[in-house]
Every structure is written in structure tokens, then in C-alpha cells.
Amino acid sequence: LGYRLGMCAILTLWVAWDCIWGYVRNGNSTIGGRTAFPVFRGCGGLLLLHWFWGASVYVWNRFRINYIFLFDLDPRTVDSPITIFNDVVDETLVFMFLMLLYYKSGAHDIPDLVPPGVYPFLLVVYVLACFIFPVRTKISMWNNIWNVINTPFSSPTFFTIYIADVFTSMVKVFQDIAWTVGFIASGDFLVDEDSPKMLKHKWAHSFWYKNVLIPIICLMPLWIRFGQCLRRYLDTGKRMPNLANALKYTMSQMVTLFGAFHPLYEFYSKKGPDYFQFF
């Protein structure tokens, strides 16, 4: 584990150095401005979530907090902290390696054996495999996610409420995942990045993507928590804090709806200096 952690650190420094040096040398945006960067950003968000879960499990074990009992988990399907860290280190190595290849390929520092978009595609395939295997532990994960999505038709548990709270902080990751699906399904990952077609991404500017899918992704975690609060009120009969929390998530949904159907940012950004963007 220590040897592979060292490899992760070296790859991270290598990617950071190449990006910074490329910007200083050429004056152009590096991997952050590349067309497939949202793919790496979304997968990187999932990777950080795995790191934080491993760190949480380590702390809970270290201080003898019985999280298995609190979350009502099956002890036979719960990985130890060392197992989680072994898995996440391997995932980080693959992530950094494919990001480095994508950067080098787009900068023409390595032979163009395949289109640069193939590397983010391979990353997506690897991430999907990680979400399926090993089946023994992933079935429990998907069952809990389904119980979260199934709200309010099932009584929320402490763990499903915990997952839903995490989802409310992952809206940007979910948006990047939606962008990744469009990027792969449209076949844009096979198009040369220097091609004018690569700069368009017509599907990303369509009505259904910008005005339907993205607002739904922003609303869904808040709607899930709203439904959980109402279901908790029906199950327990306690108005506080269930109805207060439901009101909180109702107001949060109103912010998202106003942002989707009344884009004040776009209106003010066309009028002059971007003071509205600052605030």
C-alpha cells in the first residue's frame, strides 16, 4: 500500500507539473480547458468520495464507533479500512495514468495511436467496472441507493438519510456524469479534438439538456431529502424537526427553479461588467 501511495503522489505531481508548465510555456489553458475535462472532473469527484469514505471508516474504527450498527449494514459485506484504501489507491493510479495520457496525447507529446478521447472513454469503462465488481459488496450499495431514490415510498433509515445528504453535495458531480453520458453516447470521444465539430457539442446546447436534464439533476437530491422529511413526519408524527427540514429543502428547490427559468446571470452579464457574477 505504501509503495502504491508513493506512485500516486508521483503521478499527481507529474500531472500538476505538466499542466502548470504547459500553461507557463504556451500561455494556453491546459487540461482544464480541454473538451473531455468534465469526464475526469466527474470521475475525480467519485474518486474523492471513495477516499473520504475510507477515511471515515478508518476514523470510526479507530475510535470504536459502531457505524455498522448505526447504518444497519451487513457485516459480511462491509470492507475494512485497509481494503478500501487498497481499492481507492488502485483507482487513483488508473485515474492519474489515464489523465496523463489524455493530456500528453492532446498536447501531441506522445504518438497519436488513438484519438485523445479514447482515454476518458477507458476511464468511464473502468469506473463502471468498479461500480459492479466485486458484486458481493456492490449489491448492498445499489440496494441502499435504490432505497434513497425510492423515497418517500419507503421509510428512510439513518443510512439512507446520510446518503441523501451526500447527494445534495454532489450536484456538480452528477452534472458532469450527465455530460459524460452525452459525450460518450454521441461518439464525440472519437472525434479529433482539433476538429471544429469537437468544439460544438450540439447535444450540450439542446433544450432537453440545458433546460430539462440539468434542472432535474439540481432538483433531484433536494426533492429526495424533502420526501424523506415528509415521510419521517408521517412515520413519527413529530413536526419538529421534520417539517422544518422539509421547508428548508422546499426553499432550496425554489432557488434552483428560479435559476433555471429566470437566468438573471445571463441577463446581467449581457448588460455590461460582470458585477452580478461577482456577487
Side-chain angles (χ1 to χ4, degrees):
L1 178 61
Y3 178 73
R4 284 177 294 152
L5 278 173
M7 294 174 62
C8 287
I10 294 300
L11 280 174
T12 302
L13 290 174
W14 191 351
V15 171
W17 169 256
D18 275 356
C19 292
I20 295 172
W21 174 247
Y23 183 81
V24 171
R25 181 182 59 184
N26 300 326
N28 299 321
S29 178
T30 56
I31 193 171
R34 302 281 293 282
T35 184
F37 180 69
V39 178
F40 290 94
R41 187 172 56 197
C43 294
L46 296 175
L47 181 62
L48 283 176
L49 178 64
H50 202 177
W51 271 107
F52 291 145
W53 173 252
S56 299
V57 171
Y58 172 78
V59 172
W60 294 331
N61 279 330
R62 176 69 176 79
F63 293 96
R64 299 182 180 180
I65 298 174
N66 193 355
Y67 71 96
I68 297 177
F69 173 77
L70 292 174
F71 289 159
D72 196 21
L73 301 176
D74 185 351
R76 296 170 297 180
T77 61
V78 176
D79 290 329
S80 64
I82 191 65
T83 301
I84 296 174
F85 283 128
N86 274 312
D87 292 340
V88 75
V89 166
D90 291 339
E91 294 164 5
T92 304
L93 285 173
V94 174
F95 176 82
M96 289 297 176
F97 182 66
L98 290 175
M99 178 182 282
L100 185 62
L101 287 177
Y102 173 69
Y103 174 78
K104 291 291 188 182
S105 178
H108 305 291
D109 291 336
I110 61 175
D112 297 331
L113 300 178
V114 295
V118 171
Y119 300 112
F121 173 74
L122 293 176
L123 178 62
V124 171
V125 173
Y126 178 75
V127 170
L128 290 175
C130 291
F131 272 104
I132 298 174
F133 303 104
V135 178
R136 178 183 61 86
T137 58
K138 294 305 186 288
I139 287 180
S140 176
M141 179 191 72
W142 285 111
N143 285 337
N144 283 300
I145 292 177
W146 169 248
N147 290 333
V148 172
I149 298 174
N150 198 30
T151 300
F153 301 107
S154 60
S155 296
T157 64
F158 180 67
F159 192 42
T160 56
I161 293 174
Y162 173 83
I163 295 174
D165 277 333
V166 173
F167 280 179
T168 59
S169 302
M170 294 181 62
V171 171
K172 186 58 181 178
V173 176
F174 293 148
Q175 290 179 358
D176 287 337
I177 292 173
W179 194 95
T180 299
V181 172
F183 180 70
I184 299 299
S186 65
D188 284 354
F189 70 98
L190 294 174
V191 180
D192 186 1
E193 290 196 351
D194 296 330
S195 171
K197 180 182 177 181
M198 178 57 74
L199 302 177
K200 295 179 180 178
H201 295 308
K202 293 182 179 180
W203 52 268
H205 303 283
S206 65
F207 170 82
W208 292 104
Y209 180 83
K210 292 180 61 178
N211 298 93
V212 177
L213 181 59
I214 295 301
I216 287 176
I217 290 175
C218 295
L219 282 172
M220 187 58 65
L222 300 173
W223 171 259
I224 290 173
R225 283 296 291 123
F226 171 74
Q228 286 180 336
C229 294
L230 292 183
R231 182 57 188 258
R232 286 287 297 171
Y233 170 67
L234 292 176
D235 291 343
T236 64
K238 296 180 179 179
R239 297 180 180 179
M240 292 296 292
N242 298 314
L243 292 184
N245 283 331
L247 177 62
K248 176 182 68 175
Y249 288 108
T250 300
M251 300 301 292
S252 299
Q253 292 178 69
M254 291 179 62
V255 172
T256 303
L257 289 173
F258 273 101
F261 298 106
H262 298 278
L264 296 178
Y265 167 74
E266 294 183 0
F267 174 78
Y268 281 98
S269 63
K270 294 177 182 179
K271 293 295 184 178
D274 293 338
Y275 299 119
F276 186 78
Q277 180 181 4
F278 176 79
F279 292 103

